[in-house]
Amino acid sequence: MFSILKRLFLSMSLNGVGMKSLFIFTLLTSYSGLNGQSYFEYDSELKGIYQSITDLKLNASKKDLLKYQSRNASNLATYHLLSYVDFFTLFINEDANVYESLYKNRDLYLDKIYAGPSNNPEKRFINAEILLQWALIDLKFDNKLRAGKAIYDAYNLLEDNKKAYPSYINNYKSLSIIHVLAESVPSWVRTILGIKGSLSTGQSEISKLKEYALSNPNYLFRSEVAAINSYILFYQLNKKEKAIADLKKFKLDHTKSPIVAFLKASMALRSGDNESCLNYLEQSPKGPQYANFYYLDFMLGRSKLYKLDPIADKYMLRYVQNFKGKHFIKEAYQKLAWHALVVKGDPALYQRYMKKCMTYGEALLDEDKQALKEAKKNVTPNKILLSARIQFDGGYFHQAFQTLTLNKYRFTNDKDGQIEFNYRLGRIFQSLHNPQDALTHFSKTLDLGKNDESYFACSAALQMATIYENLTDKHSAMLYYKICLDLEPSEYAITLHQKAKSGLDRL
């Protein structure tokens, strides 16, 4: 386009059109859409489309992006947003067939970005963002090697970008996550990859970006920064109240975004506030304009189970009947089995659901592994202990305490029952801010279960370490974090050990 226009106007000037032609030529070629020079710009229209994408209005967003591209072909920022559409499509549905059909888009997007101008920070940043988006998708589909390579490449791009453009604030959005998660990777892997990072580095980076986002309401990645900051505080630093308080500052509306509803509901549940979790999930927007996020159905059914709600199974069944992926399917059937036993009082239905737990889904995540292990035992659990566990998981601590103490006599001569009974009481006392009684029951759990393959002893050691850390008894905290790492339960080991490693790093 540029060469054609140049020849045209040179010809016009030679034929006497002169300065007027040159003036028009200058105006036209200064517009990048006409001269073919590509650029990166998130204008107001693209910002609106980005918001629709993160609200999971994916079909409309993609149509709007393609229309925008037809008018602004030189703006390469559109490929970044198209990658977002693919990312959310695959991340929430996990459809293997769609994964295969969409993966070719990844290289197309990267090629387009690579061909863009190099004299700005957006090129490396967007390149890294696309690599990280698809790395997360690869991990979802258990393609670890490809994901690892992409994360390594993204890390180097962002580090190079930080050196070349130290004031470019977007660098810290994804670097913070990489630096935080780097410490969870074995040291020899970090050495080979050359990735450096720590909790403190990642927290410092996202904290800086958080303040920037709060001071700039129109900042494009504001909601993502809110989510990353909350994730690091809540899950990695165990600062749950701080995480929730920071998230409230962003004033994200869960009634307009299923993703925001998911974020708020997840933290509410893990904070022992099942009632708020239920509210967020029930108020999450629904309708044909939103992509199907079936995991929210599972979350809602599970939260209703914690209240021993008779209709909890309705939502969990919707999940297993519609979700195309492989994660949390086994856990969903396990929870359906629990509902059948505890709420419906139907041991036969419990067994039928546990058989489906063995058949459907894959045991890749700790929750699914634990569900499969329970199914393979082919033993109907103790209804009292299971009821207390369900109530505790929902944050109904007083009800769980009553369920246990009224039935204490049932476990006097049952060693396995005693291990779980003491563990459950320890967790209840811990949650009721009674550390001494919690330590007493966790200690009994350790003594009884240190040679048992269940997770109770390992988790008890982790909880004891956390209590001692909160009591500023550093020596005891480190001792029990190490005990946690020394134990090898057959379930939840990865999660428990990761938390123990994070605890030791903090200390």
PDB file of all heavy atoms in Angstrom, residues 42 52 98 103 207 217 220 257 280 328 371 373 411 478 481:
ATOM      1  N   TYR A  42      -4.820  -0.148  22.368  1.00  0.00           N
ATOM      2  CA  TYR A  42      -6.080  -0.555  22.981  1.00  0.00           C
ATOM      3  C   TYR A  42      -6.973   0.687  23.078  1.00  0.00           C
ATOM      4  O   TYR A  42      -7.004   1.360  24.109  1.00  0.00           O
ATOM      5  CB  TYR A  42      -5.834  -1.157  24.360  1.00  0.00           C
ATOM      6  CG  TYR A  42      -4.959  -2.393  24.321  1.00  0.00           C
ATOM      7  CD1 TYR A  42      -3.578  -2.301  24.512  1.00  0.00           C
ATOM      8  CD2 TYR A  42      -5.501  -3.646  24.068  1.00  0.00           C
ATOM      9  CE1 TYR A  42      -2.767  -3.417  24.454  1.00  0.00           C
ATOM     10  CE2 TYR A  42      -4.697  -4.779  24.006  1.00  0.00           C
ATOM     11  CZ  TYR A  42      -3.330  -4.654  24.203  1.00  0.00           C
ATOM     12  OH  TYR A  42      -2.535  -5.766  24.151  1.00  0.00           O
ATOM     13  N   SER A  52     -16.049  -7.189  27.698  1.00  0.00           N
ATOM     14  CA  SER A  52     -17.030  -8.216  27.346  1.00  0.00           C
ATOM     15  C   SER A  52     -16.423  -9.610  27.397  1.00  0.00           C
ATOM     16  O   SER A  52     -17.072 -10.572  27.817  1.00  0.00           O
ATOM     17  CB  SER A  52     -17.600  -7.949  25.947  1.00  0.00           C
ATOM     18  OG  SER A  52     -18.381  -6.775  25.931  1.00  0.00           O
ATOM     19  N   VAL A  98     -12.361 -29.114  20.789  1.00  0.00           N
ATOM     20  CA  VAL A  98     -12.212 -27.677  20.538  1.00  0.00           C
ATOM     21  C   VAL A  98     -10.746 -27.271  20.716  1.00  0.00           C
ATOM     22  O   VAL A  98     -10.224 -26.427  19.977  1.00  0.00           O
ATOM     23  CB  VAL A  98     -13.133 -26.865  21.476  1.00  0.00           C
ATOM     24  CG1 VAL A  98     -12.940 -25.361  21.257  1.00  0.00           C
ATOM     25  CG2 VAL A  98     -14.586 -27.230  21.233  1.00  0.00           C
ATOM     26  N   TYR A 103      -6.014 -24.795  18.493  1.00  0.00           N
ATOM     27  CA  TYR A 103      -4.596 -24.617  18.832  1.00  0.00           C
ATOM     28  C   TYR A 103      -3.799 -23.968  17.709  1.00  0.00           C
ATOM     29  O   TYR A 103      -2.814 -23.263  17.982  1.00  0.00           O
ATOM     30  CB  TYR A 103      -3.946 -25.944  19.233  1.00  0.00           C
ATOM     31  CG  TYR A 103      -2.728 -25.709  20.086  1.00  0.00           C
ATOM     32  CD1 TYR A 103      -2.856 -25.571  21.464  1.00  0.00           C
ATOM     33  CD2 TYR A 103      -1.466 -25.563  19.528  1.00  0.00           C
ATOM     34  CE1 TYR A 103      -1.755 -25.304  22.259  1.00  0.00           C
ATOM     35  CE2 TYR A 103      -0.364 -25.288  20.315  1.00  0.00           C
ATOM     36  CZ  TYR A 103      -0.515 -25.166  21.683  1.00  0.00           C
ATOM     37  OH  TYR A 103       0.570 -24.879  22.468  1.00  0.00           O
ATOM     38  N   SER A 207       1.914  -5.697  44.037  1.00  0.00           N
ATOM     39  CA  SER A 207       1.490  -4.603  44.912  1.00  0.00           C
ATOM     40  C   SER A 207       1.663  -3.262  44.199  1.00  0.00           C
ATOM     41  O   SER A 207       0.798  -2.379  44.285  1.00  0.00           O
ATOM     42  CB  SER A 207       2.304  -4.629  46.205  1.00  0.00           C
ATOM     43  OG  SER A 207       1.902  -3.586  47.069  1.00  0.00           O
ATOM     44  N   PRO A 217      -8.693   4.190  37.210  1.00  0.00           N
ATOM     45  CA  PRO A 217      -9.908   3.392  37.003  1.00  0.00           C
ATOM     46  C   PRO A 217     -10.094   2.883  35.577  1.00  0.00           C
ATOM     47  O   PRO A 217     -10.784   1.890  35.367  1.00  0.00           O
ATOM     48  CB  PRO A 217     -11.035   4.367  37.389  1.00  0.00           C
ATOM     49  CG  PRO A 217     -10.386   5.375  38.272  1.00  0.00           C
ATOM     50  CD  PRO A 217      -8.990   5.517  37.771  1.00  0.00           C
ATOM     51  N   LEU A 220      -6.682  -0.858  31.600  1.00  0.00           N
ATOM     52  CA  LEU A 220      -7.283  -1.980  30.883  1.00  0.00           C
ATOM     53  C   LEU A 220      -7.313  -3.271  31.699  1.00  0.00           C
ATOM     54  O   LEU A 220      -8.337  -3.949  31.770  1.00  0.00           O
ATOM     55  CB  LEU A 220      -6.522  -2.214  29.572  1.00  0.00           C
ATOM     56  CG  LEU A 220      -7.019  -3.389  28.710  1.00  0.00           C
ATOM     57  CD1 LEU A 220      -8.460  -3.157  28.272  1.00  0.00           C
ATOM     58  CD2 LEU A 220      -6.118  -3.582  27.504  1.00  0.00           C
ATOM     59  N   SER A 257     -20.444 -10.424  35.876  1.00  0.00           N
ATOM     60  CA  SER A 257     -19.338 -11.246  35.373  1.00  0.00           C
ATOM     61  C   SER A 257     -19.266 -12.581  36.108  1.00  0.00           C
ATOM     62  O   SER A 257     -19.028 -12.607  37.322  1.00  0.00           O
ATOM     63  CB  SER A 257     -18.005 -10.506  35.538  1.00  0.00           C
ATOM     64  OG  SER A 257     -16.916 -11.359  35.269  1.00  0.00           O
ATOM     65  N   TYR A 280     -22.976 -15.153  46.010  1.00  0.00           N
ATOM     66  CA  TYR A 280     -22.223 -14.798  44.801  1.00  0.00           C
ATOM     67  C   TYR A 280     -22.610 -15.705  43.629  1.00  0.00           C
ATOM     68  O   TYR A 280     -22.795 -15.237  42.494  1.00  0.00           O
ATOM     69  CB  TYR A 280     -20.723 -14.899  45.051  1.00  0.00           C
ATOM     70  CG  TYR A 280     -20.178 -13.897  46.042  1.00  0.00           C
ATOM     71  CD1 TYR A 280     -19.248 -14.274  47.005  1.00  0.00           C
ATOM     72  CD2 TYR A 280     -20.588 -12.566  46.007  1.00  0.00           C
ATOM     73  CE1 TYR A 280     -18.740 -13.351  47.917  1.00  0.00           C
ATOM     74  CE2 TYR A 280     -20.084 -11.643  46.909  1.00  0.00           C
ATOM     75  CZ  TYR A 280     -19.166 -12.040  47.869  1.00  0.00           C
ATOM     76  OH  TYR A 280     -18.659 -11.128  48.766  1.00  0.00           O
ATOM     77  N   PHE A 328     -12.501 -32.451  38.021  1.00  0.00           N
ATOM     78  CA  PHE A 328     -13.550 -32.334  39.034  1.00  0.00           C
ATOM     79  C   PHE A 328     -14.776 -33.204  38.750  1.00  0.00           C
ATOM     80  O   PHE A 328     -15.766 -33.115  39.472  1.00  0.00           O
ATOM     81  CB  PHE A 328     -13.979 -30.868  39.223  1.00  0.00           C
ATOM     82  CG  PHE A 328     -12.860 -29.960  39.639  1.00  0.00           C
ATOM     83  CD1 PHE A 328     -12.323 -29.047  38.747  1.00  0.00           C
ATOM     84  CD2 PHE A 328     -12.326 -30.041  40.917  1.00  0.00           C
ATOM     85  CE1 PHE A 328     -11.274 -28.219  39.120  1.00  0.00           C
ATOM     86  CE2 PHE A 328     -11.272 -29.222  41.302  1.00  0.00           C
ATOM     87  CZ  PHE A 328     -10.752 -28.306  40.404  1.00  0.00           C
ATOM     88  N   ALA A 371     -11.093 -38.496  45.561  1.00  0.00           N
ATOM     89  CA  ALA A 371     -12.411 -39.072  45.286  1.00  0.00           C
ATOM     90  C   ALA A 371     -12.268 -40.485  44.738  1.00  0.00           C
ATOM     91  O   ALA A 371     -13.007 -41.407  45.144  1.00  0.00           O
ATOM     92  CB  ALA A 371     -13.163 -38.196  44.284  1.00  0.00           C
ATOM     93  N   LYS A 373      -9.778 -42.519  45.196  1.00  0.00           N
ATOM     94  CA  LYS A 373      -9.305 -43.409  46.252  1.00  0.00           C
ATOM     95  C   LYS A 373     -10.458 -43.871  47.139  1.00  0.00           C
ATOM     96  O   LYS A 373     -10.552 -45.045  47.511  1.00  0.00           O
ATOM     97  CB  LYS A 373      -8.256 -42.704  47.106  1.00  0.00           C
ATOM     98  CG  LYS A 373      -7.644 -43.648  48.136  1.00  0.00           C
ATOM     99  CD  LYS A 373      -6.681 -42.950  49.035  1.00  0.00           C
ATOM    100  CE  LYS A 373      -6.176 -43.979  50.048  1.00  0.00           C
ATOM    101  NZ  LYS A 373      -5.505 -43.361  51.171  1.00  0.00           N
ATOM    102  N   PHE A 411     -16.758 -43.793  68.674  1.00  0.00           N
ATOM    103  CA  PHE A 411     -15.413 -43.977  68.127  1.00  0.00           C
ATOM    104  C   PHE A 411     -14.391 -44.447  69.161  1.00  0.00           C
ATOM    105  O   PHE A 411     -13.202 -44.488  68.883  1.00  0.00           O
ATOM    106  CB  PHE A 411     -14.942 -42.661  67.492  1.00  0.00           C
ATOM    107  CG  PHE A 411     -15.925 -42.093  66.513  1.00  0.00           C
ATOM    108  CD1 PHE A 411     -16.715 -41.009  66.850  1.00  0.00           C
ATOM    109  CD2 PHE A 411     -16.083 -42.664  65.267  1.00  0.00           C
ATOM    110  CE1 PHE A 411     -17.629 -40.488  65.963  1.00  0.00           C
ATOM    111  CE2 PHE A 411     -17.001 -42.160  64.364  1.00  0.00           C
ATOM    112  CZ  PHE A 411     -17.783 -41.074  64.716  1.00  0.00           C
ATOM    113  N   MET A 478       8.490 -24.097  62.107  1.00  0.00           N
ATOM    114  CA  MET A 478       9.381 -24.715  61.122  1.00  0.00           C
ATOM    115  C   MET A 478       9.471 -26.222  61.335  1.00  0.00           C
ATOM    116  O   MET A 478       9.522 -26.991  60.372  1.00  0.00           O
ATOM    117  CB  MET A 478      10.757 -24.066  61.185  1.00  0.00           C
ATOM    118  CG  MET A 478      10.763 -22.607  60.748  1.00  0.00           C
ATOM    119  SD  MET A 478      12.416 -21.859  60.725  1.00  0.00           S
ATOM    120  CE  MET A 478      13.140 -22.697  59.316  1.00  0.00           C
ATOM    121  N   TYR A 481       6.260 -27.726  59.877  1.00  0.00           N
ATOM    122  CA  TYR A 481       6.263 -27.646  58.409  1.00  0.00           C
ATOM    123  C   TYR A 481       7.150 -28.757  57.841  1.00  0.00           C
ATOM    124  O   TYR A 481       6.809 -29.395  56.829  1.00  0.00           O
ATOM    125  CB  TYR A 481       6.768 -26.283  57.929  1.00  0.00           C
ATOM    126  CG  TYR A 481       5.734 -25.179  57.964  1.00  0.00           C
ATOM    127  CD1 TYR A 481       6.026 -23.933  58.520  1.00  0.00           C
ATOM    128  CD2 TYR A 481       4.466 -25.371  57.401  1.00  0.00           C
ATOM    129  CE1 TYR A 481       5.079 -22.909  58.535  1.00  0.00           C
ATOM    130  CE2 TYR A 481       3.523 -24.354  57.416  1.00  0.00           C
ATOM    131  CZ  TYR A 481       3.834 -23.125  57.984  1.00  0.00           C
ATOM    132  OH  TYR A 481       2.903 -22.120  57.998  1.00  0.00           O
TER     133      TYR A 481
END
